[in-house]
């Protein structure tokens, strides 16, 4: 029997709806909000208003693209958290309405868990072959976590950032350089023509398998302050090299974490997920790392790295198989610590 899941993602500034049939994604519509760009970061109130405007047309577009009718949907999966309160509320409310109207189960999904389980998505062009156990590295705008994953819902946290996330370090670094938002993809693009070894930024060393990225952002701030005193056009004259060097340090810290995790767990099966895993330089270093270590490294197509509802529908599918449904009274969990539970 076929299982059709409608997935909704609205945790931050992307309104996304996907339709999944068994493991296969039939549509994955992402409506990104550009109202935040001129504010240099996501403005929560504007984000929720935009979600409100976009949610129904995005649901319609997802159904139409998938050529699926509402009557064929078996369950509604939605991001419950972590994320912005107002943004999450829009997606959850839409999901509850659909669940009630169609008389199908409501399934809550943890956004971070969904980033990782996106590796099990299949579509017309992509089919991963990730096997358990594996080491998961989640690198997003708010999270940097290393996990040992033994089943869809069985995780052991190996390490995480003690302060800023990798994406946050890139976004804040971009802001210091006067670049737009979100900074990660802008740094990625500028760094393509820069020299990653031109400037040196020290890597932060913390205990065990944890990370720390706030030090490198401070190092960049002092570096800019110092050099601007000597050359007021220092940033403009060296932008590509600064981006490449800064990005190199952050990406290398992530690779170091993976190396250490392999050493400690003896698992060479690695899956990277989250927005920062779209970074072209990190992807290049990972390919190099794979050759050097013989590790089996799994990276996702770019559309499944950044926020999308396909990953929410995927987790919805796994929960549907185990009949893990949510109550209609659920409310957003803006800070969702740990997702080891189902
Ligand atoms: O996973 P995601 O889309 O949203 C969160 O759950 O946070 O990740 C967003 C983060 C932002 O920090 C953004 O700058 C970063 O991912 N990002 C990138 C790239 N694309 C998105 N960072 C570096 N290079 C990219 N190409
Ligand atoms: Zn995300």
């Amino acid at each position: 029997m076929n299982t059709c899941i409608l997935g909704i993602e609205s945790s931050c500034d992307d309104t996304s709806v996907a339709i999944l049939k068994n493991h296969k994604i039939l549509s994955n519509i992402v409506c990104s909000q550009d109202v935040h760009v001129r504010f240099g970061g996501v403005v929560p109130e504007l984000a929720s208003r935009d979600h409100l405007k976009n949610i129904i047309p995005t649901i319609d577009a997802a159904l139409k693209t998938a050529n699926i009718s509402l009557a064929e949907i078996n369950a509604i999966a939605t991001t419950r958290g972590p994320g912005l309160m107002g943004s999450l509320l829009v997606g959850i409310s839409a999901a509850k309405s659909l669940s009630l109207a169609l008389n199908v189960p409501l399934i809550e999904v943890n956004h971070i868990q969904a980033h990782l389980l996106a590796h099990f998505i299949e579509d017309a062009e992509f089919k991963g072959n990730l096997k358990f156990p594996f080491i998961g590295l989640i690198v997003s705008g708010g999270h940097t976590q290393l996990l040992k994953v033994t089943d869809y819902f069985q995780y052991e946290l190996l390490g995480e950032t003690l302060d800023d996330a990798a994406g946050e370090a890139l976004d804040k670094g971009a802001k210091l350089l006067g670049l737009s938002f979100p900074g990660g993809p802008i740094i990625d693009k500028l760094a393509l023509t820069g020299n990653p070894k031109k400037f040196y930024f020290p890597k932060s060393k913390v205990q065990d398998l944890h990370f720390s990225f706030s030090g490198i952002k401070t190092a960049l701030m002092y570096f800019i302050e110092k050099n601007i005193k000597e050359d007021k056009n220092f940033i403009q004259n060296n932008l590509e090299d600064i981006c490449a060097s800064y990005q190199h340090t952050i990406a290398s810290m992530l690779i170091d974490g993976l190396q250490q995790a392999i050493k400690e767990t003896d698992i060479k099966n690695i899956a990277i997920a989250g927005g920062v895993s779209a970074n072209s330089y990190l992807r290049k270093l990972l390919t190099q790392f794979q050759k050097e270590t013989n590790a089996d490294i799994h990276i996702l197509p770019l559309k499944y790295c950044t926020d999308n509802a396909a990953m929410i529908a995927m987790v919805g599918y796994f929960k549907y198989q185990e009949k893990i449904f949510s109550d209609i009274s659920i409310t957003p969990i803006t800070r969702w610590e740990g997702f080891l539970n189902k």
Side-chain angles (χ1 to χ4, degrees):
M1 214 187 71
N2 285 325
T3 304
C4 274
I5 309 281
L6 185 149
I8 300 179
E9 155 60 31
S10 72
S11 63
C12 191
D13 59 345
D14 293 305
T15 318
S16 180
V17 178
I19 308 292
L20 176 137
K21 193 174 193 174
N22 305 327
H23 270 243
K24 221 163 187 167
I25 296 297
L26 301 184
S27 65
N28 178 40
I29 309 291
V30 184
C31 183
S32 297
Q33 307 178 350
D34 48 19
V35 328
H36 310 286
V37 172
R38 66 196 160 104
F39 297 101
V42 178
V43 184
E45 181 60 28
L46 295 180
S48 46
R49 286 185 204 191
D50 241 41
H51 283 305
L52 262 182
K53 240 184 354 204
N54 297 336
I55 190 78
I56 303 285
T58 313
I59 292 171
D60 283 343
L63 288 163
K64 201 166 167 207
T65 308
N67 199 18
I68 289 279
S69 72
L70 275 177
E72 293 171 83
I73 300 294
N74 298 98
I76 312 291
T78 189
T79 306
R80 188 177 178 189
L84 301 169
M85 175 57 88
S87 295
L88 289 164
L89 258 180
V90 177
I92 293 176
S93 305
K96 284 182 181 180
S97 314
L98 282 170
S99 150
L100 281 173
L102 303 174
N103 197 22
V104 295
L106 173 70
I107 300 174
E108 70 194 62
V109 174
N110 178 300
H111 178 93
I112 303 304
Q113 182 172 41
H115 268 303
L116 197 57
L117 296 186
H119 278 276
F120 296 96
I121 284 174
E122 288 173 22
D123 66 19
E125 292 111 38
F126 172 72
K127 187 178 186 314
N129 67 339
L130 183 60
K131 303 272 183 319
F132 299 111
F134 65 86
I135 292 168
L137 173 63
I138 303 173
V139 273
S140 72
H143 289 76
T144 305
Q145 291 185 328
L146 263 173
L147 303 139
K148 179 178 163 184
V149 188
T150 45
D151 205 347
Y152 296 120
F153 299 109
Q154 264 173 11
Y155 308 82
E156 186 191 323
L157 184 66
L158 300 173
E160 63 186 335
T161 182
L162 302 177
D163 39 60
D164 290 352
E168 201 174 349
L170 287 165
D171 294 341
K172 287 179 175 171
K175 208 166 191 175
L176 289 170
L177 293 168
L179 302 172
S180 187
F181 174 85
I186 301 170
I187 289 188
D188 187 354
K189 206 162 160 206
L190 286 165
L192 288 175
T193 48
N195 175 1
K197 303 279 167 66
K198 177 79 184 279
F199 302 113
Y200 170 77
F201 297 104
K203 291 183 193 173
S204 308
K205 289 254 183 296
V206 283
Q207 270 199 324
D208 306 322
L209 287 171
H210 295 309
F211 299 96
S212 166
F213 291 103
S214 75
I216 179 170
K217 170 202 65 193
T218 313
L220 176 67
M221 190 177 81
Y222 287 133
F223 169 83
I224 294 170
E225 267 177 23
K226 178 174 156 271
N227 284 288
I228 272 188
K229 274 188 198 143
E230 288 153 29
D231 169 12
K232 70 175 173 30
N233 293 323
F234 178 77
I235 293 181
Q236 293 89 312
N237 293 340
N238 297 277
L239 188 58
E240 288 81 2
D241 291 337
I242 303 172
C243 286
S245 304
Y246 186 68
Q247 176 182 263
H248 167 76
T249 313
I250 292 172
S252 312
M253 281 160 75
L254 294 172
I255 301 283
D256 290 350
L258 283 177
Q259 195 149 28
Q260 194 62 22
I262 292 177
K263 211 163 130 194
E264 291 193 14
T265 60
D266 218 15
I267 297 172
K268 281 190 153 186
N269 210 9
I270 315 267
I272 326 283
V276 178
S277 66
N279 183 266
S280 62
Y281 185 74
L282 176 63
R283 291 165 88 95
K284 201 168 106 187
L285 288 192
L286 285 166
T287 313
Q288 225 167 296
F289 181 67
Q290 166 150 318
K291 281 191 198 133
E292 285 162 14
T293 59
N294 238 343
D296 196 3
I297 299 192
H298 299 257
I299 51 173
L300 288 162
L302 297 185
K303 62 182 169 186
Y304 300 136
C305 292
T306 46
D307 287 350
N308 66 87
M311 64 186 195
I312 305 301
M314 191 69 248
V315 179
Y317 175 81
F318 293 131
K319 287 194 168 182
Y320 186 83
Q321 300 302 310
E322 295 196 32
K323 294 195 168 42
I324 306 167
F325 304 142
S326 303
D327 194 83
I328 203 74
S329 63
I330 58 163
T331 49
I333 304 178
T334 54
R335 287 176 172 271
W336 196 333
E337 304 299 344
F339 53 89
L340 310 183
N341 56 329
K342 292 183 180 178

